[in-house]
């Protein structure tokens, strides 16, 4: 389902891909996040996603103009996972709500790996 808003000037429809990309870009800006992850179901390997592939680590579900966002992330070694995820949730919720005008109902975070920063 797409994001849909009725305004006095007409209707606004937001594609899920737009929300997914914005949420992913907002997430990788957060401290302690190395990047998004893609998990191969076939062999269980986790792959760090870069650039245009970032949306594969994010899933957005729109239900009655309320958003549920799932993140599959890789965190930096030595950081507090709880602090990183709290920062991720608050930052993404604020940015996505301001960007779309829709309420973020839930953010689910799956920590798929840890990387040492170079």
């Amino acid at each position: 389902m797409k994001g849909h808003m009725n305004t006095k000037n007409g209707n606004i429809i937001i594609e899920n891909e737009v929300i997914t990309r914005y949420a992913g870009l907002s997430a990788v800006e957060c401290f302690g996040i190395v990047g998004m992850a893609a998990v191969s179901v076939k062999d269980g390997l986790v792959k760090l996603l870069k650039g245009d592939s970032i949306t594969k680590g994010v899933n957005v579900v729109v239900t009655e103009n309320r958003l549920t966002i799932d993140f599959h992330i890789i965190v930096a070694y030595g950081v507090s996972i709880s602090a990183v995820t709290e920062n991720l949730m608050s930052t993404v919720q604020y940015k996505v709500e301001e960007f779309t005008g829709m309420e973020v109902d839930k953010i689910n975070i799956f920590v798929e790996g840890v990387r040492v920063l170079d």
Side-chain angles (χ1 to χ4, degrees), residues 1-110:
M1 183 175 190
K2 299 176 186 175
H4 187 268
M5 293 180 286
N6 296 320
T7 68
K8 65 180 181 174
N9 296 325
N11 295 325
I12 301 170
I13 297 172
I14 305 173
E15 292 285 337
N16 273 15
E17 179 70 20
V18 173
I19 300 169
T20 301
R21 178 169 298 284
Y22 190 80
L25 291 172
S26 297
V28 295
E29 291 175 354
C30 294
F31 173 78
I33 305 290
V34 175
M36 295 294 127
V39 180
S40 171
V41 177
K42 185 175 105 180
D43 44 46
L45 295 175
V46 175
K47 179 180 175 188
L48 178 64
L49 300 172
K50 299 278 187 180
D52 290 341
S53 301
I54 202 167
T55 57
K56 293 178 183 167
V58 182
N59 183 41
V60 174
V61 177
V62 181
T63 309
E64 298 175 10
N65 281 343
R66 296 172 64 93
L67 303 173
T68 300
I69 306 172
D70 295 337
F71 290 102
H72 296 268
I73 63 169
I74 297 175
V75 297
Y77 175 79
V79 298
S80 166
I81 291 176
S82 63
V84 169
T85 55
E86 287 294 322
N87 181 40
L88 173 63
M89 286 182 196
S90 63
T91 300
V92 168
Q93 180 176 3
Y94 174 75
K95 287 186 174 186
V96 170
E97 285 180 352
E98 287 294 311
F99 179 68
T100 63
M102 293 184 275
E103 185 178 341
V104 175
D105 192 34
K106 189 187 295 186
I107 296 176
N108 300 310
I109 300 174
F110 303 91

